[in-house]
Amino acid sequence: MNRQARLIGPEEEKRFDAFIASHPKGHFLQSYGWGEVKATTGWQPLRLVLEKGGSIVACASLLKRQLPYVGKSILYAPRGPVVDFHDANLFSELLAAVDGVARQEGAILLKIDPDIPESDTAVKQMLKEKGFRLANKGAGFEGVQPRHVFRLDLTPSPEELLANMHSKTRYNIRLAQKKGVIIKDDCTLDDLPVFYEILKETTLRDRFLVRSYSYFETMWREMVKRGYARLFLAYYQGEAIAGALAFIMGDKAWYLYGASSNRHRNAMPNYLLQWAMILWAREQGCTMYDFRGVPGDLDEKNPLYGLYRFKKGFNGTFTEFIGEYDRVYSPFYYWLWQSILPLYSQGFRRLLFWKKKATAEE
């Protein structure tokens, strides 16, 4: 029986997500709800399924972004597509369907950054043969999604997980408990402004941009309410001093957003927060916990080395992905997108950061 490809609508959301949750390469960034989140930031989600005998065998949540002035667009499948990359025929059929969508939408490229380890030379060779080119050769956070992460196997018991951690990490978890840090793991929408205020404090201290509060409200509506995310807050002496958002899809969990106050940092709330989220993920049946991005450059002089050391202490496995690959449909417009738009974007982001910093200090 031949396989058939088609775009789906909201009436098939649960079926779409169920396939992603059950797939070894399923990721929350490919979920229906995440597409709804990105729809509020200028992206148009397109959900493509490849079916055989009425069952989904591969899929892709494609984000379409219209480019200014030129009447063209780009397609991006964050941590996708969801397919067995070692099944060349299946991948080819899904790719042919994506190419059809690209033609209809006037796309100049398809960008993917799949959950494939750097060591998988077979997939890298296959992508090259299919006309993909490596788009980002940098380390750390230089891609759209982080290329380097720590991943923790959750199958050992909680006692074993603790025993396997670095002694300093284990000490800081227990220190936070001894000092009386309390983790609130049943947060509601009323707690979201508390988290956001701590997040703004964090961004000013560490000098990175933060999205608007409305974006996090959307994330709550589209991901938390669907059961794909949960907010955790750490309290010390009645004051919220740290928080984090954890995401879940099938048997995998991810730590995505974290924030900590400048006050009471010696209470070590971030260590206890991570431990609480790890235990929560295990209770949900997860076998993998992803700490998300760390720098690929392990030099202690790297300003992000402290982040690397913090996450490494939980004894996760350092994982490098193959990075971003682009399938180019229009070489001229691709060159334009690569050469000119990044300069505009970088300048705009710098200006926006300093404006926000000046406003906060007034």
Side-chain angles (χ1 to χ4, degrees), residues 184-194 213 220 224 231 233:
K184 182 177 182 179
D185 62 0
D186 58 350
C187 295
T188 68
L189 183 58
D190 292 338
D191 295 299
L192 191 59
V194 177
Y213 178 73
W220 188 280
V224 176
L231 173 64
L233 288 173

Side-chain angles (χ1 to χ4, degrees), residues 84-85 88 117-118 142 245 298 309 358 360:
D84 181 356
F85 281 83
E118 171 65 21
E142 294 180 22
L245 273 165
L298 305 185
R309 185 174 54 193

